[in-house]
Amino acid sequence: MFATPEQFAATNKANIETLLTLANSTFASAERFAALNLNTARSILEDSIANAKSLLGAKDVQELLSLQSALAQPLVEKAVAYNRSVYEIASQSQEEVSKLVEAQIAELNKNLAVALDKAAKSAPAGSDVAVAAVKSAIAAANSAYDSVSKAAKQVAEIAEANVAAATNATVKAVTATAKAGAKKAA
């Protein structure tokens, strides 16, 4: 498969660069998750302190109930925003890895085609049928991979749309509940 040590070294270098790209992508995602979690924890702590002060300052039960209803909505909205951010980070990471895998598969297919052509040139007479069968099998496998890849992308798009719809429905439900609770308290 490798005609020279230089080709072997070049292939190893390309593989190492691919692994480094993957590692850098993974670390960047981990950094984004860590920053998101730290910022969220800080925000929750600050909000909890402010909410506790508000609740402790309530003069009667009606005001306490009204404050509880009013404080619930921002918490749910922040939880939804956090989950949305987690989903975005995960989606972007998956997209980067997919692009890397697709590039590797394209390179592998190219190398395989070159190797088959070399083998066909040095193969004995009459082996054209076998080489054609192998090329046909490779083309079928590539076609199947493309179909699966497209289907996976469609599923991801549908899931993203469903997550957005569920998020919006949750926020609307909490808003309606908070308004109803505020009207009862008043």
Side-chain angles (χ1 to χ4, degrees):
M1 183 146 173
F2 298 107
T4 64
E6 289 82 17
Q7 288 176 325
F8 183 73
T11 300
N12 282 339
K13 182 180 178 186
N15 288 338
I16 288 172
E17 288 175 6
T18 299
L19 288 174
L20 287 174
T21 301
L22 182 61
N24 286 333
S25 175
T26 302
F27 283 128
S29 296
E31 286 175 352
R32 290 176 62 202
F33 277 124
L36 175 65
N37 288 334
L38 286 172
N39 290 335
T40 301
R42 180 181 298 118
S43 176
I44 288 172
L45 179 63
E46 291 169 356
D47 290 348
S48 295
I49 291 169
N51 292 347
K53 287 179 181 179
S54 295
L55 291 172
L56 290 173
K59 308 260 189 283
D60 57 18
V61 174
Q62 291 286 6
E63 186 179 352
L64 182 66
L65 292 175
S66 177
L67 281 172
Q68 283 181 323
S69 295
L71 297 176
Q73 183 178 353
L75 290 175
V76 170
E77 289 173 356
K78 285 183 180 186
V80 167
Y82 172 81
N83 287 328
R84 206 178 275 152
S85 296
V86 167
Y87 181 78
E88 285 176 15
I89 293 169
S91 294
Q92 290 170 354
S93 298
Q94 185 271 332
E95 186 177 324
E96 290 173 10
V97 170
S98 292
K99 286 179 183 177
L100 192 61
V101 168
E102 287 173 7
Q104 287 294 101
I105 288 174
E107 183 67 24
L108 178 65
N109 285 337
K110 185 181 88 172
N111 290 341
L112 192 55
V114 169
L116 274 175
D117 287 340
K118 285 183 182 179
K121 289 177 184 176
S122 63
S127 60
D128 295 342
V129 174
V131 171
V134 171
K135 285 184 178 181
S136 177
I138 291 171
N142 286 336
S143 177
Y145 171 77
D146 289 342
S147 296
V148 169
S149 179
K150 287 177 185 174
K153 287 177 183 176
Q154 287 175 344
V155 167
E157 289 171 3
I158 291 169
E160 189 171 336
N162 288 341
V163 166
T167 299
N168 290 337
T170 301
V171 170
K172 287 179 183 177
V174 169
T175 301
T177 303
K179 287 180 182 177
K183 286 181 182 179
K184 282 185 180 179

